Amino acid sequence: MDAPTQSKPAMRINPVVTEIIRHGLVAITEEMKINLMRTAYNMIIYEALDFTVGVFDAKGNTVSIGLGLPMFIRGMSETVKAKLNHFGAENLEPGDILLTNDAYITGSHLNHMTFTVPVFHEEALVGFSCCMAHWPDVGGSLQEGTTDIFSEGLQMPIVKIYRKGEPNQELVEIIRSNVRLPERAMGDFRAQIAAVKTGERRFLEMVRKYGRDAVIGGIEAIMDQSEALALARVREMPDGVYEAESFMDDDGINIGQRVPIRVKVTVAGERMTVDLSEVSRQVQGFYNSGITAGRSCCQVAFKSLTSPLDLPINDGAFRALDIVLPPGRVISAQKPAAMRMWMTYPMTVIDTIFKALAPAMPDQVIAGHHADLVLGRVHGRRPKDNSFYIHSIGLIGGGWGARHDHDGMNATIAMNDGDTHNSPSEQLEAKFPVLVERYCLRPDSGGAGRYRGGLGTEKVVQALNLLHFSSQMDRVKCKPWGLSGGMSGFGNGVALHRFGKTEETHFPNGKALNQTLQSGDAFILRSGGGGGYGTPLERDLAALERDVRRGYVTQQSAEENYGAVFVGDTMEIDAAATAKRRDEMRAKGLPFDNPIAETLIPFGAPPAPERNEEHQKLTQEERIAFAMQCRCCT
């Protein structure tokens, strides 16, 4: 459970200075973010923005967290507190920089390196500046089916990577020796240090300008304001116990064995309790996350429902929230659980919390979203210089659920990554031996409804040279659900298309592990759509006609799910005939929704592809043209 409400500061708070401090804190984290983007070496940081920065008080409580990964709303604070507890405030000194990537503290995987600077003013510890960023490689196995943390890379315990301003060169060399791309890793290392030093410098400038007491008192006042706002919003919610469940397809090891997600939310007066005791126990596969990720699930959902636009994001906003989460669940996993795909399950946990509260807050909760990053991890060697590369291609965005008065958003990054971006196709093609053949919206992927779910996307990427590919997505079978009669959206999916073949190779559980692609082969990532809201037989005809003209909804789907009748071969809807057909469909209980994809999940690895080496005799231009022609035809 969260900490009790802090006592009010004894000093008189100047409201004008407090507002200046409020906006100054947001500006600090924004500048930290910009500096990291401008100096990082890897695309996943400077293009995808897979990082989070923050400022914390002397006890490690969140003061301002920069927009980035919402799921680190709890993990960064707990990491700062763990470092403080490890060393003790009396053993921290100006110039120290603390580092860890401990997955069970951060709640995530080992790729997240977290640097922290203790901030001192006149020898007094006044706060912390922190930055978590994703490194593409931290060593470990390139075989994706991990079953423990030891195979996933370098584990860096809590250490002082800098002491009194001097780098601990022995530790730096340990890191350098355990990564495959040390030059790029050390570039991101320096970029993160620049980011946290920026936070330290700007926070001290604020303290010197307005005074330590004014800044600390202002921060406490801001937290109290955030608490008051959250309490007021919870009081507006109807008291009750609300429950919901969903599931994940499997853990990548026990194929076809569902992983249950069950939540219970209790609203009583001005407090909300989220009980995650019935979420599945930690799994054998690589989808576990630490307890701070589980707490983040609750806080992200709570923040979204109480004060989504209130800045800065701070711990005061969560004082009205209680969390019940025993250890050993997939979102509170314990060592040595595998954590590589830590981000996948928490997104569905948040979705399910919203689902539970839908009856209580029908005007504030959206239908289910695609809930996956939908990416493929590739590695290989560039043909021009035989240099090694490793990259995650994806973050293609998918459909978000509709709400009571608006369609869902198309092609939007999933809940976990919030402010992250997809990688520009031009950047991918410039840096890696791949060709992006297609990147488009998926027609009909958004769940039908009075308000339609957002559309998912499809990305087709051709290998121009031998590469190794893995995709570890989920929510293929558990499709994004609709609300209040809305229909489910499409689930996520992954497929391979071998050069010259007419059929795709599908992976019905979304796990395409350790696949080898030759030049001319392609992998295909397909993100799901959002669930619809309200019965599709009540969708406005002008909106439906516009969807058909734009290609968002096919005429077949418009007829079968929305009851549309078109005038001849045109895209114009006959209103009178449509009204009649809709009455007939209502009488028959149509349209029928199938929220679970009925896909057969085969056991065992797919057979090795048969290779026709004749295409290797073609020029690259001929091979690309032929490969794309085959895929366009299919």
Side-chain angles (χ1 to χ4, degrees):
M1 294 188 180
D2 287 5
T5 301
Q6 298 177 0
S7 60
K8 301 291 190 295
M11 69 196 75
R12 181 180 181 276
I13 301 301
N14 185 321
V16 175
V17 172
T18 297
E19 282 304 298
I20 293 172
I21 291 169
R22 179 196 302 278
H23 293 283
L25 293 168
V26 175
I28 290 172
T29 51
E30 187 65 19
E31 185 176 355
M32 293 171 68
K33 172 181 174 180
I34 291 170
N35 282 359
L36 180 60
M37 289 168 56
R38 288 178 172 174
T39 56
Y41 276 49
N42 283 290
M43 281 178 62
I44 198 164
I45 297 179
Y46 67 75
E47 286 288 357
L49 312 188
D50 190 346
F51 65 84
T52 305
V53 297
V55 176
F56 304 82
D57 68 16
K59 295 181 180 179
N61 298 309
T62 303
V63 171
S64 175
I65 190 168
L67 297 180
L69 273 68
M71 287 304 300
F72 268 86
I73 202 168
R74 183 77 261 139
M76 286 186 70
S77 174
E78 294 301 325
T79 302
V80 173
K81 290 177 180 177
K83 291 174 178 177
L84 178 60
N85 291 336
H86 179 81
F87 288 110
E90 67 279 5
N91 295 316
L92 298 178
E93 298 179 88
D96 287 350
I97 301 180
L98 319 178
L99 171 65
T100 189
N101 71 337
D102 189 317
Y104 307 98
I105 296 175
T106 67
S108 63
H109 51 195
L110 299 175
N111 300 75
H112 284 148
M113 291 288 186
T114 306
F115 291 78
T116 305
V117 170
V119 181
F120 288 87
H121 177 254
E122 296 177 353
E123 300 184 355
L125 179 65
V126 294
F128 294 89
S129 170
C130 187
C131 171
M132 176 282 298
H134 182 114
W135 289 18
D137 174 62
V138 288
S141 172
L142 289 175
Q143 300 295 309
E144 299 295 347
T146 55
T147 56
D148 64 42
I149 195 70
F150 302 104
S151 58
E152 295 183 345
L154 170 68
Q155 297 182 66
M156 180 60 64
I158 296 173
V159 298
K160 287 188 179 184
I161 198 71
Y162 273 63
R163 290 179 179 272
K164 299 181 181 180
E166 295 297 324
N168 188 328
Q169 201 59 42
E170 291 180 345
L171 292 178
V172 173
E173 290 305 316
I174 289 174
I175 297 172
R176 185 191 299 273
S177 299
N178 279 275
V179 297
R180 295 178 176 88
L181 300 169
E183 295 81 9
R184 305 194 74 79
M186 291 300 103
D188 290 343
F189 178 102
R190 293 189 296 271
Q192 286 189 258
I193 289 176
V196 292
K197 294 297 288 184
T198 297
E200 175 193 34
R201 183 172 63 254
R202 295 305 188 206
F203 189 76
L204 281 175
E205 287 176 1
M206 184 183 293
V207 170
R208 290 167 184 147
K209 183 173 183 178
Y210 298 104
R212 185 195 307 171
D213 290 344
V215 171
I216 293 176
I219 287 171
E220 293 177 355
I222 292 167
M223 288 190 181
D224 290 343
Q225 292 165 2
S226 297
E227 177 189 19
L229 178 59
L231 290 169
R233 294 288 171 81
V234 175
R235 282 195 296 268
E236 294 172 359
M237 302 177 188
D239 287 357
V241 178
Y242 307 98
E243 300 181 67
E245 63 179 341
S246 58
F247 67 90
M248 311 304 297
D249 298 337
D250 61 50
D251 70 349
I253 302 297
N254 301 291
I255 307 301
Q257 183 175 317
R258 293 182 182 178
V259 179
I261 304 293
R262 301 186 183 97
V263 306
K264 180 169 70 173
V265 182
T266 302
V267 179
E270 58 184 18
R271 300 205 66 80
M272 177 186 290
T273 301
V274 180
D275 187 343
L276 302 178
S277 301
E278 296 302 313
V279 172
S280 168
R281 291 190 176 274
Q282 63 189 62
V283 293
Q284 182 182 2
F286 37 83
Y287 290 91
N288 300 288
S289 52
I291 194 167
T292 56
R295 291 170 180 158
S296 291
C297 293
C298 305
Q299 291 193 343
V300 169
F302 185 79
K303 178 72 173 173
S304 299
L305 294 170
T306 56
S307 55
L309 301 180
D310 186 38
L311 294 176
I313 299 170
N314 62 74
D315 274 352
F318 307 110
R319 293 175 185 164
L321 173 66
D322 298 314
I323 300 169
V324 179
L325 178 56
R329 302 319 193 252
V330 289
I331 48 173
S332 59
Q334 297 178 299
K335 200 169 186 176
M339 307 276 277
R340 180 166 282 174
M341 296 301 290
W342 75 279
M343 75 295 288
T344 303
Y345 287 7
M347 289 185 270
T348 293
V349 173
I350 297 171
D351 248 11
T352 310
I353 293 172
F354 290 151
K355 184 180 182 182
L357 287 167
M361 309 173 68
D363 295 346
Q364 299 182 55
V365 173
I366 64 171
H369 83 309
H370 64 289
D372 198 283
L373 297 188
V374 192
L375 52 79
R377 181 171 159 130
V378 298
H379 70 271
R381 293 193 174 274
R382 297 177 179 86
K384 61 181 180 180
D385 58 6
N386 201 40
S387 60
F388 178 80
Y389 66 87
I390 184 169
H391 189 63
S392 294
I393 297 178
L395 292 174
I396 61 176
W400 278 56
R403 57 181 189 263
H404 77 288
D405 60 354
H406 206 279
D407 292 345
M409 297 181 67
N410 302 331
T412 302
I413 301 299
M415 186 83 68
N416 176 83
D417 274 37
D419 201 36
T420 55
H421 298 173
N422 57 10
S423 299
S425 298
E426 295 81 2
Q427 285 270 22
L428 291 176
E429 294 172 346
K431 297 179 182 296
F432 310 107
V434 298
L435 173 71
V436 179
E437 294 184 11
R438 183 165 67 248
Y439 186 16
C440 62
L441 296 174
R442 294 177 71 189
D444 293 336
S445 56
R450 182 189 320 120
Y451 293 99
R452 173 185 46 75
L455 299 186
T457 60
E458 176 182 271
K459 191 166 194 172
V460 181
V461 182
Q462 181 183 157
L464 301 183
N465 195 56
L466 185 147
L467 61 79
H468 302 279
F469 166 80
S470 290
S471 181
Q472 299 147 312
M473 67 181 68
D474 206 279
R475 291 291 293 276
V476 177
K477 294 179 70 67
C478 181
K479 299 190 293 186
W481 49 80
L483 292 177
S484 299
M487 298 178 68
S488 303
F490 284 6
N492 303 307
V494 60
L496 300 182
H497 190 274
R498 301 294 181 179
F499 181 88
K501 300 293 183 180
T502 56
E503 300 293 332
E504 295 177 355
T505 300
H506 291 271
F507 299 83
N509 69 336
K511 284 80 175 174
L513 303 182
N514 310 318
Q515 301 294 309
T516 299
L517 275 65
Q518 305 284 347
S519 55
D521 295 344
F523 62 87
I524 305 168
L525 305 172
R526 295 182 173 114
S527 62
Y533 199 107
T535 172
L537 300 182
E538 295 178 359
R539 183 155 180 81
D540 176 73
L541 295 188
L544 178 59
E545 190 174 293
R546 184 168 59 250
D547 280 348
V548 173
R549 292 183 183 277
R550 290 176 173 175
Y552 292 178
V553 176
T554 63
Q555 286 189 312
Q556 179 181 353
S557 177
E559 293 169 349
E560 294 177 356
N561 295 321
Y562 293 93
V565 178
F566 291 90
V567 178
D569 295 332
T570 71
M571 293 185 180
E572 181 182 347
I573 295 177
D574 184 325
T578 296
K580 181 179 178 181
R581 175 180 283 183
R582 286 180 166 183
D583 287 340
E584 293 170 351
M585 291 178 68
R586 289 189 187 94
K588 296 178 181 180
L590 298 175
F592 176 73
D593 184 33
N594 181 12
I596 300 176
E598 297 299 332
T599 57
L600 177 65
I601 298 181
F603 287 81
E610 298 179 6
R611 301 302 307 172
N612 180 358
E613 303 302 336
E614 288 298 312
H615 77 284
Q616 298 291 354
K617 301 176 182 178
L618 302 175
T619 67
Q620 186 178 71
E621 290 76 13
E622 290 172 333
R623 188 164 57 245
I624 290 172
F626 184 74
M628 293 180 68
Q629 180 183 13
C630 292
R631 281 186 275 278
C632 288
C633 292
T634 56

